[in-house]
Amino acid sequence: MKRIKLFIIVLLIIVLSLTGCKHGKTINADALIVKNLNGLDESKINEYRIDVNLDTENMTYKGKQTVSYVNNTDIDLEDIYFHLYPNAFKSLEKAPILFNIGDEMNPSSYKPGYIEIEKVKIGDKDLQWIIDEDKDTILNIKLEKPLERGKSIDLYLEYMVKLPTTKDRFGYHDKGINLGNWYPIACVYDNNGWNLDPYYKVGDPFYSEVANYKVSITTPKEIIVAASGKIISEREDGDKKTYKIEGQLIRDFAWAASKDFVVKEKKVEDTIIKVYSINNDSKLINESLKIGENSIKIFNKIFGKYPYGWYSIVNTEFPSGMEYPGIVFISNDYFHKYLIDILEKVIVHETAHQWWYGIVGNNQVDEAWLDEGLATYSEVIYINEIQGKKEARKYYDENIKLGYEYAVHYLSENDVVNKPLSEFAGWEDYGPLVYSRAAMFIDKIKEDFGEEVLYDILNNYYNKYKFRIATTEDFITLCEEITNTSFNELINEYLNGN
């Protein structure tokens, strides 16, 4: 009888594991809780399979990576390009450190970061590849024969990476390691061809498409890992620990590592929210969890359902806040009882980025306002839902409008919101324009057409472009369709002028 029951159980497991499998790829129901893929063909989604081994003594890691790359372009491809973001940290002078403050800016103590490509292969065949000295964050892989439209190949890469001494998106600090933009990621080929932009010092200079990820991370056993996917398993072997992680339909994969993380989690609707903190302050950890919970609930209701079963808020040494799919880095500087309002603002903003950038993608190099403006105005929406319209208006006036009105006196006449990162002088004009002025544009839509219409626009925008790439033209077209009004004057006033 026990054997019969065991046979039935095994059979059920096999059947369940095959459920939802199309074209040989499976979407993990726990990692991806929304069944509607918005028309995406699962067979045409790139997949990254990465094994990484972290050496915390030497602050290096080795990666073995297979990318199932699908040619979704309208041409046959003779080359494929990847971003090598770690190479941006080769020198302190060129490193894209967000804010030039602190000991990490000391030339005598700075230790550079970089990536060394060791192998690029298809099967047993080595491929030719090039990294231009003047453009060393781009890897050009030469294919033996053109990759036809609609076809796919498996590219295998091996590499060694040295971590820099920065408390930034990518680097290490006294209590852990931040690993954003840490592996070779395919460049986007769109209507303009290959997007081969460098790692600019201003903004979030990243542009990527959704993909599926299967990542194995091996660390010393005392290390705790927070990551962009669902942690499937943790296994100890001697003095090592290996994490198996999966992420479906995510635009990037980031992680953080620390032996000091305190972890607390809570299930909110269909998503597990985790807080990883290097600061063992239970009140602030609980507060962070509560802010994350409120954000998910509010944005689920207004924008559309968060499609993943996981979301991690990581308190780490970082100068501000930074978003990646399913995970955000929040500065430990804000983990203070007197800075709770700032902590709330940053967590809400980065959580909003899960919708605006993570799920609805955009080219953050050429049209940064599209996600930053929406994420900034999402702070106002959050306050409106939590504290009411009066407090929301006060928050908008004091945190967005007033800041821009002060900064505008220092901007030049030709400063516009909607322009590529290469045309910004630095954070001093990027911040007021891309965050504040762009959010003022969204507020003007609400003032002219009402809150209900704005929410209708945001909900339709989310549902139409989730898992895809949207443009300014897409957003404006949708606004005009819903309001039956030309937006030419608003665009000229808010996006193409100051």
Side-chain angles (χ1 to χ4, degrees):
M1 188 66 178
K2 289 182 179 179
R3 288 185 178 179
I4 295 174
K5 286 182 178 179
L6 181 60
F7 172 79
I8 293 173
I9 290 170
V10 171
L11 183 61
L12 282 172
I13 291 172
I14 293 171
V15 170
L16 289 171
S17 68
L18 295 174
T19 301
C21 182
K22 299 177 182 178
H23 309 290
K25 293 188 178 181
T26 301
I27 296 295
N28 188 308
D30 292 329
L32 190 73
I33 58 180
V34 170
K35 304 300 181 183
N36 179 4
L37 305 188
N38 199 21
L40 291 184
D41 183 342
E42 294 176 49
S43 68
K44 294 185 178 181
I45 299 169
N46 295 339
E47 182 176 83
Y48 291 76
R49 299 182 294 280
I50 308 174
D51 290 327
V52 57
N53 196 317
L54 177 66
D55 179 351
T56 54
E57 286 190 14
N58 297 301
M59 286 300 168
T60 61
Y61 58 87
K62 287 185 174 290
K64 297 180 179 181
Q65 174 173 320
T66 299
V67 183
S68 295
Y69 181 86
V70 185
N71 181 1
N72 290 315
T73 76
D74 56 359
I75 64 169
D76 296 344
L77 296 175
E78 297 182 355
D79 306 76
I80 297 177
Y81 293 85
F82 284 77
H83 292 286
L84 302 179
Y85 291 121
N87 276 346
F89 294 86
K90 279 185 175 181
S91 71
L92 181 59
E93 180 184 1
K94 295 182 178 180
I97 296 172
L98 287 180
F99 306 110
N100 298 336
I101 56 176
D103 295 337
E104 61 187 291
M105 298 306 297
N106 186 341
S108 63
S109 61
Y110 179 77
K111 296 180 180 178
Y114 52 84
I115 180 170
E116 293 181 347
I117 301 297
E118 297 174 343
K119 292 181 182 179
V120 180
K121 307 178 76 168
I122 294 180
D124 295 330
K125 295 182 178 179
D126 292 319
L127 296 181
Q128 291 186 343
W129 50 273
I130 301 170
I131 301 175
D132 193 300
E133 284 188 14
D134 296 328
K135 216 170 188 179
D136 58 2
T137 59
I138 299 295
L139 169 67
N140 176 5
I141 298 176
K142 304 286 186 181
L143 302 179
E144 283 194 326
K145 61 180 182 179
L147 178 61
E148 297 178 9
R149 285 168 284 183
K151 301 295 185 180
S152 65
I153 54 172
D154 283 354
L155 292 169
Y156 176 78
L157 299 89
E158 286 188 18
Y159 46 88
M160 188 284 293
V161 181
K162 181 77 171 86
L163 286 153
T165 51
T166 70
K167 300 175 182 178
D168 217 85
R169 299 181 181 107
F170 179 72
Y172 64 93
H173 49 89
D174 290 342
K175 290 194 172 184
I177 308 171
N178 301 331
L179 291 125
N181 316 104
W182 58 279
Y183 63 99
I185 184 171
C187 300
V188 174
Y189 186 101
D190 59 17
N191 293 333
N192 298 315
W194 287 106
N195 288 263
L196 307 178
D197 298 283
Y199 196 147
Y200 292 103
K201 285 190 173 185
V202 64
D204 301 326
F206 314 118
Y207 179 27
S208 56
E209 297 171 305
V210 295
N212 292 331
Y213 285 81
K214 294 181 179 178
V215 181
S216 174
I217 300 173
T218 299
T219 70
K221 69 176 182 180
E222 68 272 13
I223 293 293
I224 298 169
V225 166
S228 269
K230 179 187 176 184
I231 297 177
I232 303 298
S233 66
E234 301 176 29
R235 179 177 57 83
E236 290 190 11
D237 184 8
D239 60 352
K240 298 288 185 181
K241 183 191 293 184
T242 299
Y243 293 81
K244 300 288 185 181
I245 306 167
E246 291 187 2
Q248 272 72 42
L249 298 187
I250 56 177
R251 206 165 295 282
D252 201 347
F253 187 101
W255 54 295
S258 175
K259 62 181 177 57
D260 296 311
F261 277 148
V262 177
V263 185
K264 188 167 185 178
E265 66 180 55
K266 181 178 183 179
K267 188 165 187 180
V268 177
E269 296 180 357
D270 295 315
T271 298
I272 295 174
I273 300 177
K274 289 187 175 183
V275 172
Y276 294 78
S277 178
I278 58 171
N279 185 322
N280 190 15
D281 186 320
S282 59
K283 289 184 179 180
L284 291 172
I285 291 172
N286 289 335
E287 188 65 27
S288 299
L289 201 58
K290 184 63 178 178
I291 296 167
E293 175 184 0
N294 289 338
S295 300
I296 293 288
K297 285 181 176 178
I298 289 168
F299 299 151
N300 271 351
K301 180 180 71 172
I302 295 173
F303 304 152
K305 189 172 180 63
Y306 180 73
Y308 311 114
W310 36 263
Y311 176 54
S312 296
I313 298 167
V314 182
N315 159 235
T316 181
E317 291 288 356
F318 184 77
S320 182
M322 181 62 201
E323 75 280 1
Y324 291 100
I327 187 172
V328 295
F329 298 163
I330 306 296
S331 176
N332 188 48
D333 292 341
Y334 306 145
F335 261 60
H336 193 287
K337 63 181 179 180
Y338 297 118
L339 298 177
I340 193 68
D341 289 344
I342 297 177
L343 178 65
E344 181 176 37
K345 173 185 176 179
V346 175
I347 292 177
V348 170
H349 181 95
E350 306 309 337
T351 304
H353 269 306
Q354 299 304 307
W355 279 260
W356 317 126
Y357 145 76
I359 304 164
V360 177
N362 61 290
N363 186 337
Q364 294 180 291
V365 176
D366 289 342
E367 298 182 314
W369 84 269
L370 197 50
D371 64 285
E372 289 297 356
L374 287 173
T376 300
Y377 197 75
S378 296
E379 300 167 27
V380 180
I381 292 173
Y382 172 93
I383 297 296
N384 184 57
E385 294 294 313
I386 294 291
Q387 300 180 33
K389 296 184 185 301
K390 183 178 179 181
E391 288 300 316
R393 180 47 48 180
K394 180 182 177 183
Y395 181 90
Y396 170 81
D397 288 340
E398 295 179 356
N399 289 272
I400 296 173
K401 186 180 178 183
L402 186 62
Y404 172 76
E405 290 175 346
Y406 174 80
V408 72
H409 300 293
Y410 301 94
L411 301 175
S412 61
E413 290 185 3
N414 63 347
D415 271 335
V416 299
V417 170
N418 190 21
K419 62 184 179 184
L421 295 183
S422 58
E423 296 182 16
F424 287 94
W427 287 95
E428 61 273 12
D429 62 338
Y430 178 85
L433 291 166
V434 171
Y435 289 74
S436 300
R437 188 62 175 170
M440 291 169 70
F441 170 59
I442 305 302
D443 186 70
K444 180 62 172 172
I445 298 173
K446 191 206 77 171
E447 291 298 301
D448 286 356
F449 302 101
E451 181 179 276
E452 185 176 340
V453 171
L454 174 62
Y455 288 1
D456 190 33
I457 288 170
L458 297 178
N459 180 262
N460 276 275
Y461 178 63
Y462 171 77
N463 283 294
K464 186 172 184 178
Y465 295 105
K466 65 182 178 183
F467 305 131
R468 298 181 180 275
I469 301 290
T471 64
T472 297
E473 183 181 358
D474 293 329
F475 183 77
I476 299 302
T477 298
L478 188 62
C479 289
E480 292 180 333
E481 288 175 352
I482 290 175
T483 62
N484 196 28
T485 304
S486 170
F487 269 51
N488 288 340
E489 289 188 12
L490 286 179
I491 293 169
N492 289 332
E493 181 181 357
Y494 285 90
L495 301 185
N496 296 335
N498 61 11

